Amino acid sequence: MSTARHDRQETIKKATQLFWEKGFHATSMRNLQDVIDLRPGSIYASFGSKEGLFKETLQFYANASLERLAAHAATSPPLDALKAFITESVSAKKGSSPSDMCMLAKTVAELTQDNAELLAEAKRLLKTIETAFAQLVTKAQQEGALDEGREPQRVASFLQMQLMGLKAYSRATDGKANIKALIDDAFASLA
Amino acid sequence: MSTARHDRQETIKKATQLFWEKGFHATSMRNLQDVIDLRPGSIYASFGSKEGLFKETLQFYANASLERLAAHAATSPPLDALKAFITESVSAKKGSSPSDMCMLAKTVAELTQDNAELLAEAKRLLKTIETAFAQLVTKAQQEGALDEGREPQRVASFLQMQLMGLKAYSRATDGKANIKALIDDAFASLA
DNA sequence: TATTATCTTGAACAGTCGCTCAAGTCCAGT
DNA sequence: ACTGGACTTGAGCGACTGTTCAAGATAATA
């Protein structure tokens, strides 16, 4: 039975914060040791390598995103849930989240085939989120809130692309741009 | 009376390729030495530091982008030029450019305040490109190709955001997604 | 309390990082 | 051909990288 003296989930959470802020390469194991308050031996016993730990933080991040989306979907109609999720993702208050970027998109941007497994994992998780989008779009169509002629997968692609663009753009402009207006423009084509 | 034995522009070009592909942190000075075929002493005499060289590659990249846009604008109506520029930027054949991402967006995604000057420079260059977009939008309005009610700056923001999203999304899906369709969707709201 | 199994520690490893500088190479002017 | 000055070279600097492992600390069982 696991009798670890440190909470694994809590460790992953702290590591996620740091990796999300600084990216994979700019985060050193010594940074991590300080932040998660564990010495190398423990980290390597738990996660095997820097890559192993990073992979778990990616999954942790994606999971948290899916849960946020599900929470919106539980209380709002599908389209409203999607818009609320995207708005919340993009316009999170400065400082409340480690980076203005989506951690998965940031990872895909940063890594190359030198870290093929991590790159593939980030792509896979993005696809998972997109699938969740597509399911909500389908639900919206069944409820009559959206034209049935549109292919759900294509709409989901469009939304995912928009979300990536909005977050990247928001970061590039220090959030000074009129993000709300951009989101409205983006959703206009769905109305 | 520059009598340098190596062409400075050519050096910057090669460095741009490498930085664009691997990003700032993952590119080591030893990688650079091999690719641009210069020893440390020469590099530091010419560029001062890794940061100094990177800064020049950012400017080189932005300049090349502006020139591409100008070339389209010289032979096509403004809106067509914009769409052509974006299409070309996003759907460049795999392998022809070092990364599927925009180098400036990639840099903004990667860097933090630990490299404040480089981060600021990348943001500034993105803004420069956006201004060029806005000028073309204004021209389109003067020629009657676009509703005058729209604020050019807002349209330019929207386009910049779309471009960032398209490139990031294209990278995340290995170009397997129907990018053409996404571009059409993006431009649809301007028609 | 003694024993055992598990978890944690931190010094140390080989390798790489960005960078410097004395020595060497090259070429223009005489 | 020779000299003077600009340019290039590459060994090597101190600091830092991801990682290992023998030794120590801790909790559970007897």
Side-chain angles (χ1 to χ4, degrees), chain A residues 21-22 25-26 106 108-109 111-112 123 130 154 157-158 160-162 164-165 169 171-172 174 181-182 185, chain B residues 21 25-26 106 108-109 111-112 114 123 130 154 157-158 160-162 165 169 171-172 174 181-182 185:
Chain A
E21 184 197 337
K22 307 188 55 157
H25 283 118
K106 181 170 174 162
V108 169
L111 298 186
T112 66
K123 287 177 182 175
E130 193 177 310
R154 177 166 166 179
S157 291
F158 183 72
Q160 179 80 284
M161 183 274 276
Q162 296 286 342
M164 286 178 157
Y169 186 80
R171 174 162 172 80
D174 303 305
L182 284 172
D185 286 350
Chain B
E21 185 198 337
H25 283 117
K106 181 170 173 160
V108 168
L111 298 185
T112 65
D114 294 348
K123 287 179 182 174
E130 192 177 310
R154 177 166 166 179
S157 291
F158 183 71
Q160 179 81 282
M161 182 273 276
Q162 296 286 343
Y169 185 80
R171 175 164 173 79
D174 302 306
L182 284 171
D185 286 349

Side-chain angles (χ1 to χ4, degrees), chain A residues 28-93:
Chain A
S28 74
M29 290 305 289
R30 294 209 149 82
N31 293 159
L32 281 162
Q33 287 170 40
D34 295 346
V35 166
I36 70 184
D37 195 32
L38 279 179
R39 261 34 65 195
S42 295
I43 300 178
Y44 280 82
S46 280
F47 303 100
S49 65
K50 186 188 180 187
E51 293 209 354
L53 174 53
F54 187 70
K55 193 170 178 180
E56 295 221 31
T57 66
L58 287 179
Q59 289 159 354
F60 180 84
Y61 175 90
N63 240 11
S65 296
L66 286 171
E67 278 169 17
R68 268 199 305 118
L69 180 60
H72 282 295
T75 60
S76 309
L79 282 189
D80 293 345
L82 281 168
K83 188 163 182 177
F85 174 78
I86 288 177
T87 304
E88 173 185 284
S89 298
V90 174
S91 52
K93 267 169 206 139

Side-chain angles (χ1 to χ4, degrees), chain B residues 37-62:
Chain B
D37 194 31
L38 279 180
R39 262 33 66 196
S42 296
I43 300 178
Y44 281 83
S46 280
F47 303 100
S49 66
K50 186 188 180 187
E51 294 209 353
L53 174 54
F54 187 70
K55 193 169 177 181
E56 295 221 33
T57 66
L58 288 179
Q59 291 159 354
F60 180 84
Y61 175 90

Side-chain angles (χ1 to χ4, degrees), chain B residues 127-189:
Chain B
K127 186 95 195 157
T128 303
I129 291 173
E130 192 177 310
T131 301
F133 286 176
Q135 283 165 359
L136 282 179
V137 170
T138 303
K139 206 169 152 205
Q141 287 176 330
Q142 287 164 354
E143 294 176 3
L146 189 69
D147 173 22
E148 298 228 353
R150 292 168 172 279
E151 214 188 324
Q153 187 49 242
R154 177 166 166 179
V155 177
S157 291
F158 183 71
L159 288 173
Q160 179 81 282
M161 182 273 276
Q162 296 286 343
L163 183 51
M164 286 178 156
L166 283 165
K167 286 174 123 178
Y169 185 80
S170 165
R171 175 164 173 79
T173 54
D174 302 306
K176 277 178 202 134
N178 190 346
I179 300 293
K180 275 252 160 60
L182 284 171
I183 295 178
D184 287 342
D185 286 349
F187 269 83
S189 62

